[in-house]
Amino acid sequence: MSATRLPGTPRLLRALNDRAALELLLERGPLTRARLGELTGLSKVTASQLVERLEERGLVTRVGEQAGGRGPNAQLYAVRPGSAYVVGVDVDAERVVAACADITGAVIGRVEQSTKDTDDPVGVVHNAVVEAASSAGAELSSVRRIVLGTPGLVDPGTGDITFAFNLPRWHRGLLAALREDLHTPVVFENDVNLAAVAEAQSGAAQGVSDFVLVWVGAGVGLAIMLGGRLHHGSSGAAGEIGYLPVPGVPIPRDVSKRAKPAFQQLAGADAVRAVAAEHSFAAESAADAVRAAIAAGTAGGPMLDELARRLALGVASTCVVLDPPLVVLAGEVGQAGGAALAERVQHEVAAITLVRPRVVTTGLTEEPILRGALRTALDAVRDEVFGSTVG
């Protein structure tokens, strides 16, 4: 036997049992002590001690009764929502949206503000976070984590923003300034990465550990999920698919001059509108143009075929390196294209490469970045709160 193997201690076993019970209460809803015992495999006595321990720590609360046979009704217990709160923030060049959720994941406060007329990113985020918490009836001191989704690069080492094409006022040092201002753990994450987190939780990638999400909107981005974990790369630039050097467009040689990168020129929203106009589907937005082409039936086929060919260059370049089983098309264009566009991209990728990933449209229709930010914050806070239940 290995000399390094340590037996489970009562303290460790209590912590594991507490965590398992809390997860069950989140997943299954209110449960009795007896039902918790059945689901965890614990005896009635041990399950009762567990519930009492979690009640004392303020993590569970009685929420009702369950009528049974003989004897008194059994008490129902649930995770106490106010034991911790998180805030997710979605920031872009025109607006900031912040939402506050309790530890159960219920969103109980939300605000939206313009970012057009301010040069103060700290003030913008501060106001949004404070108002989201206030609208939820939560003290800012009870908010355990704030996760901000932002376009651009996030340094994996420092957690700071290093480059945000659409947010020139966002810069290195902003993370420390926000943490000092809010006195709360603050985390930056790339917006497309957060959309992939949401997709894995409740969208088209549920149950899939390896997939890529291609975001097609004003910008073009990519999120890579491997083994159920986001892949960021050494500098945080993994997924900056807009910079793929693709044929048919000029390739800028100095990205610091804010020239549009090659694949962005070929498949971003401006390019989609241009392609649509060439096929007589002019519209104010790229998404509207795609929807118009789909509504036109066979008459819109050539426009969708051309868009699929363009998108396939980026998707194929990614898939021949990573060989994922699934590609999710998201963003305003990916969502608008639906199955009609996804099927064309899948066919085109299979025609020009040796890999044959399944290509589907996003399963989320509302605020995937914000949902991903909240999920990321909740996962971290639940680890902290539920993991500290050793009595």
Side-chain angles (χ1 to χ4, degrees):
M1 292 179 64
S2 170
T4 60
R5 185 174 181 181
L6 298 175
T9 64
R11 184 181 175 88
L12 175 60
L13 292 175
R14 282 198 301 271
L16 294 174
N17 290 336
D18 289 356
R19 177 64 186 262
L22 289 164
E23 294 289 354
L24 283 168
L25 288 170
L26 284 174
E27 293 171 8
R28 304 288 186 95
L31 298 170
T32 64
R33 296 187 185 201
R35 183 58 177 153
L36 266 177
E38 293 173 6
L39 293 171
T40 57
L42 300 174
S43 69
K44 290 183 179 179
V45 172
T46 303
S48 291
Q49 292 172 341
L50 178 154
V51 171
E52 290 173 4
R53 189 163 59 244
L54 295 179
E55 262 194 299
E56 290 174 0
R57 300 184 68 88
L59 294 176
V60 304
T61 186
R62 301 179 193 188
V63 295
E65 296 181 346
Q66 184 179 75
R70 298 175 182 176
N73 293 342
Q75 296 290 328
L76 285 166
Y77 295 86
V79 173
R80 188 171 71 85
S83 55
Y85 298 93
V86 299
V87 172
V89 185
D90 177 11
V91 182
D92 63 28
E94 296 186 347
R95 60 165 198 157
V96 55
V97 181
C100 181
D102 62 39
I103 200 166
T104 70
V107 177
I108 52 178
R110 183 186 183 281
V111 296
E112 181 173 340
Q113 299 175 351
S114 172
T115 59
K116 291 181 179 179
D117 302 321
T118 178
D119 292 326
D120 178 17
V122 173
V124 166
V125 174
H126 175 96
N127 291 337
V129 168
V130 169
E131 289 192 23
S134 177
S135 67
E139 297 288 338
L140 189 59
S141 59
S142 65
V143 174
R144 297 285 293 261
R145 182 164 295 237
I146 300 163
V147 173
L148 291 97
T150 175
L153 305 187
V154 178
D155 188 319
T158 67
D160 224 331
I161 293 175
T162 57
F163 179 75
F165 189 93
N166 294 329
L167 297 171
R169 301 182 189 94
W170 291 61
H171 51 76
R172 287 185 186 273
L174 182 57
L175 182 63
L178 285 170
R179 287 174 174 172
E180 182 178 356
D181 175 77
L182 293 164
H183 305 290
T184 305
V186 179
V187 176
F188 285 136
E189 180 58 273
N190 174 266
D191 52 2
V192 180
N193 283 345
L194 291 178
V197 170
E199 205 74 54
Q201 176 201 4
S202 55
Q206 290 182 79
V208 182
S209 59
D210 294 350
F211 70 94
V212 297
L213 180 142
V214 179
W215 185 276
V216 190
V220 182
L222 176 81
I224 304 165
M225 193 75 76
L226 299 175
R229 298 174 65 89
L230 287 170
H231 177 69
H232 295 90
S234 61
S235 65
E240 290 296 325
I241 196 173
Y243 289 87
L244 274 176
V246 291
V249 291
I251 300 175
R253 303 189 65 85
D254 187 354
V255 297
S256 65
K257 293 186 180 301
R258 298 190 175 276
K260 278 189 180 180
F263 189 56
Q264 170 75 21
Q265 295 177 53
L266 195 71
D270 290 343
V272 174
R273 284 196 299 269
V275 170
E278 290 173 4
H279 290 82
S280 301
F281 294 106
E284 287 190 10
S285 74
D288 286 342
V290 171
R291 281 189 283 266
I294 292 173
T298 55
M303 182 267 181
L304 295 174
D305 290 342
E306 172 60 20
L307 178 55
R309 280 191 290 270
R310 292 180 177 217
L311 289 174
L313 291 176
V315 174
S317 298
T318 300
C319 290
V320 293
V321 175
L322 298 174
D323 195 14
L326 178 69
V327 175
V328 179
L329 296 184
E332 62 174 86
V333 172
Q335 182 178 330
L341 181 60
E343 290 169 4
R344 284 172 164 84
V345 172
Q346 177 173 309
H347 175 79
E348 187 66 18
V349 170
I352 62 177
T353 70
L354 296 174
V355 296
R356 294 176 175 270
R358 186 165 60 98
V359 181
V360 301
T361 192
T362 175
L364 304 174
T365 58
E366 295 184 1
E367 300 185 319
I369 296 167
L370 190 64
R371 292 172 68 165
L374 288 169
R375 180 65 185 193
T376 301
L378 281 168
D379 286 346
V381 168
R382 286 172 181 172
D383 280 344
E384 294 171 1
V385 175
F386 294 173
S388 64
T389 58
V390 180

